[in-house]
Amino acid sequence: MTNADLRSRFADVFMPNYGVPPVALVRGEGARVWDADGTEYLDLIGGIAVSSLGHGHPVLAAAVAEQAARLAHTSNLFVNEPSVRLAERLVALAGGDARVFLANSGTEANEAALKIAIKYGKANGRPYVVATENGFHGRTLGALSLTGKRSIRDPFGPFALDVRFVPYGDADALRAAVTDQCAAVFLEPTQGEAGVVPPPAGYFTAAREICDATGALLVADEIQSAIGRTGAWFAWQHENTRPDVLTLAKGLGGGLPVGACLAFGAHATTFAKGDHGSTFGGNPVAAAAALAVLDTIERDGLLAHAAAVGDTLAAGIAAVDHPLLAGVRGRGLWRALVLTGPAAPAVEAAARDAGFLVNAVQADAVRLAPPLILTDAQARSFTAALPAVLDAAQKAS
């Protein structure tokens, strides 16, 4: 079994929506992975911000194995204890006064949030929602209707929902768009798929004030940014501005599929019996994995670790003087190399050749979302190699 074998078989049997990935990964250990040809890489993608504890973490592996051996599935017709503990834990981490809906993915968590917004809007004469240009909330049709990336949205429109888009980070534009007819505002604390683009300081607080003044719900899409990615459990905690609805996924399960939608205060009981559901949501194995992730982050101090190693990573990138590199942005272990031109695919390929997995998320931006266990030395190994990576990319592009 080689990379070439697996890539060829992949191309033969899968729909072409992903293209054919460049390598086939077969195993991992910590922040390192190996492909089918035996080549080792430092994983600076983390399964797109999913692999919080890296690969093969013994606590996660034990939790999954133990729960799978005991009870792997119950459906939502019966209570299972891991899902209850996970919901209790998430409510506590978010500050209390909330209820939880467990799903399988980020887009499903956002579907739940959208249905809460729609039901709230119908009950209060609020027919539209507001989202941001270049925002990403998922690829199911409801979540896609909120997604402001025209390249992936337009081929599947028109959509049934009245969604009005505003420039991200522009509080005045948001204020003008949100009236007492608006049901909800969907925001990412930092836009991930747009290239890890943070808003100006105070933007989320301004959004909270605008929603409070008009009665619109504030929905924080923390699919990428939560569970320690920015050095806090949730990115909204950096501004201490809690939303009305919060969505989570990616890093929560550490590699197991689990998403969550939390609604606070009076909005916690918007859904009545029968309003929403998920066959696999609340799966005990996924819930056990998520509890193992949360326990390990807390026990090993990974919030502070992510902040500190993220600063090392950012400082090392900022110190590189290269004509292809414009700078670095982001927070914690969620960063982007900002390029001076559309060379991100070439940088991704050159980094891979040098033993680093990174993500060309935009033409001029390369996303870094490594496991939260990335060491300081591993971060420095990347920044030390970066000038040569950029040289190689420059020659290739």
Side-chain angles (χ1 to χ4, degrees):
M1 181 177 66
T2 65
N3 277 328
D5 293 335
L6 283 170
R7 294 183 71 237
S8 176
R9 290 162 59 188
F10 182 102
D12 287 343
V13 297
F14 282 107
M15 293 183 185
N17 52 303
Y18 296 122
V20 180
V23 298
L25 298 180
V26 295
R27 70 184 178 94
E29 181 179 333
R32 298 176 298 154
V33 291
W34 285 262
D35 70 15
D37 295 338
T39 304
E40 178 181 337
Y41 305 91
L42 182 62
D43 181 7
L44 298 174
I45 300 175
I48 314 180
V50 165
S51 304
S52 307
L53 304 184
H55 304 277
H57 196 287
V59 174
L60 180 62
V64 169
E66 181 181 346
Q67 187 58 48
R70 179 182 301 166
L71 186 67
H73 180 68
T74 62
S75 82
N76 52 42
L77 298 177
F78 306 96
V79 175
N80 72 78
E81 194 252 359
S83 70
V84 174
R85 284 202 291 131
L86 176 59
E88 290 171 341
R89 189 73 178 278
L90 291 174
V91 169
L93 290 174
D97 192 25
R99 289 177 183 263
V100 179
F101 173 79
L102 291 175
N104 307 296
S105 66
T107 196
E108 289 178 78
N110 280 335
E111 291 286 339
L114 184 56
K115 286 180 71 173
I116 290 172
I118 290 171
K119 189 170 182 184
Y120 173 75
K122 285 182 177 293
N124 293 281
R126 296 170 174 269
Y128 73 94
V129 301
V130 169
T132 60
E133 296 171 0
N134 293 319
F136 183 84
H137 300 285
R139 294 178 186 269
T140 50
L141 285 177
L144 187 60
S145 69
L146 299 166
T147 292
K149 292 183 71 172
R150 296 182 63 89
S151 61
I152 62 173
R153 184 178 190 273
D154 287 356
F156 300 97
F159 298 93
L161 294 171
D162 182 357
V163 182
R164 304 177 187 182
F165 292 95
V166 296
Y168 185 68
D170 186 337
D172 290 337
L174 185 63
R175 189 173 290 106
V178 179
T179 71
D180 60 6
Q181 298 287 299
C182 176
V185 175
F186 282 73
L187 290 178
E188 299 164 272
T190 287
Q191 288 188 326
E193 297 296 315
V196 193
V197 179
Y203 177 65
F204 207 72
T205 301
R208 175 73 277 172
E209 292 169 354
I210 291 166
C211 289
D212 287 344
T214 59
L217 302 184
L218 178 59
V219 182
D221 178 342
E222 293 229 29
I223 302 303
Q224 288 194 41
S225 59
I227 318 300
R229 177 56 53 192
T230 67
W233 284 114
F234 312 107
W236 57 261
Q237 292 174 321
H238 293 296
E239 290 196 24
N240 197 28
T241 303
R242 197 167 74 167
D244 299 302
V245 182
L246 170 68
T247 58
L248 314 170
K250 294 191 180 297
L252 179 58
L256 274 289
V258 56
C261 175
L262 279 70
F264 299 94
H267 308 297
T269 52
T270 297
F271 280 156
K273 184 177 180 180
D275 275 348
H276 198 46
S278 168
T279 297
F280 295 104
N283 172 272
V285 177
L291 286 164
V293 168
L294 299 177
D295 288 345
T296 304
I297 289 174
E298 189 169 67
R299 184 197 67 197
D300 294 350
L302 293 181
L303 298 183
H305 179 82
V309 178
D311 286 345
T312 296
L313 191 60
I317 296 168
V320 172
D321 182 12
H322 193 280
L324 209 53
L325 184 64
V328 58
R329 63 189 176 214
R331 194 168 200 161
L333 283 174
W334 194 29
R335 303 281 179 168
L337 304 174
V338 185
L339 306 176
T340 54
V347 172
E348 178 185 298
R352 187 168 58 248
D353 290 343
F356 302 95
L357 298 182
V358 299
N359 179 207
V361 67
Q362 291 287 317
D364 62 351
V366 175
R367 176 170 50 187
L368 307 176
L372 304 184
I373 59 165
L374 187 79
T375 67
D376 199 74
Q378 288 171 329
R380 292 180 190 278
S381 73
F382 173 70
T383 56
L386 186 56
V389 167
L390 295 172
D391 283 344
Q394 193 172 35
K395 290 178 183 176
S397 59

